[in-house]
Each structure stands twice: as C-alpha cells, then as structure tokens.
Amino acid sequence: MSKLTHFNEQGRAKMVDVSDKSVTTRTAIAQSSIVVNETIHAQIAEGTNKKGDVFAVAQIAAVMAAKNTATIIPMCHPLPLTGVDVQFEWQIDEAASRYEIIIHATVKTKGVTGVEMEALTAASAAALTIYDMCKAAGKEMIIGPTMLIEKTGGKNGDFKRVDH
C-alpha cells in the first residue's frame, strides 16, 4: 500500500504537494438533483418566481462556487479553471406528482490536479440556490443525491460511473 500523502510527519492533515505532477487537461462532470413540488415547477417553467430566473441565478451560483471551491474545502488547491458549464434537465412524473431537476456541472482545467471537487461543489451550489430561491413556495424540497459522474486526466486515469 502506498504512503498516504495527506498527512505530515506529525499525523496532521496537509495540503498535498503537487508541484512535481504533470500538467494535463482535466475534466469532471458531477450531478446533483432537487425534487420540487408542482407549484415550484410551474414557477420555474413559467418564469414567475418572485426572486427571478431560478436557473439563471443557479447557474451563476454554480460557476462562482466552482471558482471558489478552494476557499470552502480546506485541502483543495486553488485552480485556474478553463471552463464551467451547468445544465438543468427536468424529469417529470405527473402521475406521481414528482418534479425533479437534474443538475450537471462540467468543469475543466489544464493543471496538475483534478477538478472533481469543483464540479461537485458547482452542482451542490446550484441545487442549494434553487432551494433558496423557491423555499417560499414549499420547504419540502429534497436535494440529492450528488455524485461524480465522470473525470478525465491525471495520474489515476479516467473514471466513469457505471451505475448511471
């Protein structure tokens, strides 16, 4: 088993030294979701939410969250992101009165460490922003699950979720 690199000689957590790693193109796609009620679905679809365009604000929040991941996740390296894209997709089962928004966040960089945390943070921030903007119309919304769907680049190679 290889030596863990996240601890110093005193057994305390440290930010891993990545200065000797190769620069590669790295991508990550994360997904989250939020289940909303019929009223919230109608507000988002019709653009009648009193706080504004829910998806536009959630998209901006996701991009800002990706760019600021290192400020809220203690051991993350600050990264120069080269791209952040967020997409929203409705999954509706009207018979069951289930309205779910699937959020996909794709983050890219050219660097020495991956962008999985940035993608996960972006997807999470989008879901939390939707909750915040819609909570007046119902607080029973359910966020999650949140997961890494795919990542490319780096020493450990590519990853693609098989149960997705």
Side-chain angles (χ1 to χ4, degrees):
M1 181 182 219
S2 64
K3 182 181 172 193
L4 294 176
T5 58
H6 291 74
F7 298 97
N8 65 18
E9 288 102 21
Q10 294 179 331
R12 298 192 181 277
K14 71 172 187 174
M15 180 185 275
V16 175
D17 182 356
V18 295
S19 57
D20 292 333
K21 292 175 76 177
S22 299
V23 172
T24 61
T25 299
R26 296 159 184 266
T27 64
I29 302 169
Q31 175 182 302
S32 192
S33 64
I34 183 166
V35 177
V36 302
N37 64 30
E38 186 175 5
T39 301
I40 293 169
H41 169 259
Q43 285 181 358
I44 294 171
E46 297 165 9
T48 58
N49 183 285
K50 291 180 182 178
K51 291 186 176 182
D53 184 334
V54 174
F55 286 164
V57 175
Q59 186 149 8
I60 292 167
V63 171
M64 291 175 63
K67 290 169 39 175
N68 287 289
T69 298
T71 64
I72 59 172
I73 308 294
M75 300 304 169
C76 279
H77 295 83
L79 300 176
L81 303 182
T82 58
V84 179
D85 184 27
V86 182
Q87 297 186 10
F88 304 96
E89 174 189 343
W90 283 104
Q91 287 191 350
I92 299 171
D93 181 350
E94 288 185 2
S97 296
R98 182 174 171 87
Y99 303 87
E100 183 174 17
I101 303 163
I102 306 298
I103 303 158
H104 284 102
T106 303
V107 180
K108 296 182 180 183
T109 193
K110 275 194 169 195
V112 295
T113 191
V115 287
E116 296 97 300
M117 293 308 300
E118 288 74 10
L120 288 161
T121 301
S124 298
L128 289 166
T129 300
I130 292 168
Y131 186 99
D132 179 55
M133 292 191 69
C134 298
K135 65 188 176 199
K139 292 176 180 49
E140 71 282 349
M141 291 174 276
I142 301 169
I143 294 175
T146 301
M147 66 194 89
L148 181 66
I149 300 298
E150 185 176 336
K151 80 115 183 144
T152 63
K155 177 178 80 171
N156 294 324
D158 297 347
F159 165 84
K160 186 162 187 157
R161 181 169 292 284
V162 295
D163 63 346
H164 180 68

